[in-house]
Amino acid sequence: GAVVSQHPSWVICKSGTSVKIECRSLDFQATTMFWYRQFPKQSLMLMATSNEGSKATYEQGVEKDKFLINHASLTLSTLTVTSAHPEDSSFYICSAPGQGLPNTEAFFGQGTRLTVV
Amino acid sequence: AQSVAQPEDQVNVAEGNPLTVKCTYSVSGNPYLFWYVQYPNRGLQFLLKYITGDNLVKGSYGFEAEFNKSQTSFHLKKPSALVSDSALYFCAVRDLNSNSGYALNFGKGTSLLVTP
């Protein structure tokens, strides 16, 4: 299947700093990518839809100024957590749908464990 | 809105026994349903999907799922469980609103524990 690579796998940062997470589709192009957040032992909550060449679409309740999304190319989307606080600590996962929406499955990155201290 | 529900937080089964992880759906129109598995601190791995066609869908690692329209269910099954199947399982449905980019909406997840 298609491969989505997410980097870094884990990161620890100080409160008030910013952290960038990268999501790459390695062997296919993705005009759309999704960013999810997962709390311990809970489901994935969609944060935003990243669109190549246009602004991201954020879900209700997600602060767009805090979670900056940039879809720089057809293979790269980045999520920047700005002015991070301990409550931002979580597991962040990106995904990209394969070709042939809506029938195709989505492929997921390995996830990023963010810890804000 | 398209949604799925997983009624069980945890399922315990002995190795070699059949397993079932339950999922029900609520959609308008035809459902696009998926099962994923997640190991600790990892992303999700695709197991199988139902789009159309045969109600019994076969997927990766010996898993299968049965689409039941009358019961609005899409239960995940495996005839003989392995200890290595222990993981978190998510049922998902595709949001067919194109404005969402066709994102997946996930159930809360079911933790499967297979004991030796």
Side-chain angles (χ1 to χ4, degrees):
Chain A
V3 177
V4 174
S5 177
Q6 189 173 339
H7 178 80
S9 298
W10 59 270
V11 58
I12 302 174
C13 71
K14 293 183 178 180
S15 290
T17 62
S18 296
V19 174
K20 180 184 284 188
I21 302 170
E22 292 187 349
C23 181
R24 295 181 183 271
S25 57
L26 295 187
D27 51 0
F28 67 105
Q29 294 181 334
T31 56
T32 301
M33 292 185 178
F34 303 101
W35 287 96
Y36 293 86
R37 182 174 180 175
Q38 185 180 28
F39 292 99
K41 298 185 178 181
Q42 293 190 28
S43 188
L44 282 75
M45 302 300 297
L46 180 65
M47 298 175 64
T49 301
S50 172
N51 304 300
E52 191 272 337
S54 64
K55 293 181 179 180
T57 305
Y58 290 82
E59 296 300 299
Q60 190 172 8
V62 177
E63 298 177 61
K64 59 182 65 178
D65 294 332
K66 179 166 189 61
F67 299 100
L68 299 180
I69 290 173
N70 182 31
H71 202 132
S73 73
L74 288 172
T75 58
L76 174 63
S77 175
T78 59
L79 168 67
T80 301
V81 182
T82 63
S83 186
H85 288 98
E87 56 265 32
D88 298 326
S89 299
S90 192
F91 195 57
Y92 294 87
I93 307 176
C94 70
S95 79
Q99 301 299 313
L101 279 172
N103 295 1
T104 183
E105 59 269 30
F107 302 97
F108 287 79
Q110 306 94 315
T112 298
R113 172 73 60 192
L114 170 63
T115 302
V116 184
V117 297
Chain B
Q2 319 284 80
S3 65
V4 291
Q6 294 178 246
E8 304 156 315
D9 289 335
Q10 181 157 330
V11 170
N12 298 319
V13 64
E15 187 175 31
N17 284 357
L19 69 87
T20 299
V21 182
K22 296 180 180 178
C23 173
T24 59
Y25 64 87
S26 175
V27 304
S28 55
N30 294 322
Y32 290 60
L33 297 164
F34 303 80
W35 275 102
Y36 284 84
V37 60
Q38 184 182 33
Y39 295 96
N41 292 312
R42 303 288 296 176
L44 276 65
Q45 297 179 29
F46 170 74
L47 287 177
L48 50 80
K49 65 182 177 183
Y50 173 82
I51 304 300
T52 186
D54 290 341
N55 290 340
L56 184 62
V57 179
K58 293 188 182 297
S60 305
Y61 313 119
F63 284 93
E64 57 189 31
E66 186 171 8
F67 174 72
N68 188 316
K69 188 172 183 178
S70 62
Q71 297 185 6
T72 63
S73 67
F74 188 55
H75 300 333
L76 181 70
K77 300 181 179 183
K78 187 173 183 180
S80 179
L82 300 173
V83 172
S84 58
D85 292 330
S86 299
L88 192 56
Y89 290 80
F90 288 100
C91 181
V93 63
R94 172 146 280 144
D95 185 345
L96 294 181
N97 179 354
S98 61
N99 291 332
S100 77
Y102 298 114
L104 293 178
N105 296 330
F106 287 88
K108 65 178 181 179
T110 299
S111 179
L112 172 66
L113 178 62
V114 182
T115 53

